[in-house]
Amino acid sequence: MLTIEVIIKTITEWPVIIQGALGSALFAFISYIGNKMIKHLYFIWNKYSKENAEILDSHKQGLIEAHLERDFVELNNVMTVMIFCSLHYLMKATLFVSLGYMAESFIPIFGVVGYFIGFTFLFKAMTYSPHLKFLGKSDDELQDIKINLAKKHS
């Protein structure tokens, strides 16, 4: 049966020059695969970030428009949607922190990973929470913000 110990024993019996060439080839392969993985993950993250920014900006536009038109029902509707979006990530955070807490007793690193992912989701939930400070600006400033948000994603 071929095990890792047998493979290592076989390779250590080879001449040093062949071991060096094999090590270099392995390093080149891992570097190539790592580079492709990083590029792919960056592409996914960039796409996700753009979509997330568009969603957040559309919510902000809805808040500004409802505030400018003094449509408090629509303002409450947009705020409710934003709160539900925030609760979605809050539930994910709670799930990962709970799983991390349970798994920590078996394998400590799983706890750290669960906490890290959970806190990432908590920060994500904070981005969806309605920030109403900008609504205290003048109507002209709010109109400019709304126009700039519309231009940004068109």
Side-chain angles (χ1 to χ4, degrees):
M1 184 160 186
L2 194 61
T3 63
I4 193 74
E5 291 85 19
V6 173
I7 293 172
I8 291 174
K9 186 175 186 287
T10 305
I11 291 174
T12 56
E13 292 173 356
W14 292 350
V16 175
I17 190 81
I18 294 176
Q19 290 178 22
L22 183 64
S24 296
L26 184 62
F27 177 76
F29 177 73
I30 290 172
S31 296
Y32 176 77
I33 295 298
N35 187 11
K36 293 294 181 187
M37 285 176 48
I38 295 296
K39 283 183 179 180
H40 181 69
L41 290 174
Y42 177 76
F43 172 76
I44 290 171
W45 178 260
N46 196 22
K47 180 182 174 190
Y48 177 74
S49 295
K50 285 180 183 176
E51 289 173 359
N52 190 44
E54 288 176 7
I55 291 168
L56 291 173
D57 287 346
S58 70
H59 289 168
K60 197 171 187 179
Q61 280 179 296
L63 284 173
I64 291 172
E65 188 172 327
H67 181 74
L68 289 174
E69 295 175 4
R70 306 297 187 252
D71 185 356
F72 297 111
V73 173
E74 183 63 23
L75 187 65
N76 286 331
N77 289 342
V78 175
M79 288 175 55
T80 303
V81 168
M82 292 178 80
I83 289 170
F84 276 123
C85 290
S86 182
L87 284 174
H88 168 80
Y89 288 107
L90 185 62
M91 288 187 296
K92 282 185 174 182
T94 305
L95 175 73
F96 275 99
V97 169
S98 300
L99 289 174
Y101 182 71
M102 289 187 303
E104 187 175 37
S105 61
F106 302 112
I107 302 174
I109 192 68
F110 284 172
V112 173
V113 170
Y115 297 148
F116 177 76
I117 294 171
F119 287 124
T120 303
F121 280 126
L122 281 177
F123 284 115
K124 184 76 170 164
M126 285 179 18
T127 63
Y128 277 95
S129 298
H131 302 285
L132 305 176
K133 184 177 179 182
F134 68 93
L135 293 178
K137 296 184 179 194
S138 70
D139 287 355
D140 291 335
E141 290 175 314
L142 288 174
Q143 193 66 32
D144 289 340
I145 293 172
K146 182 181 166 192
I147 290 168
N148 288 335
L149 289 172
K151 285 181 185 176
K152 191 166 130 181
H153 298 290
S154 59

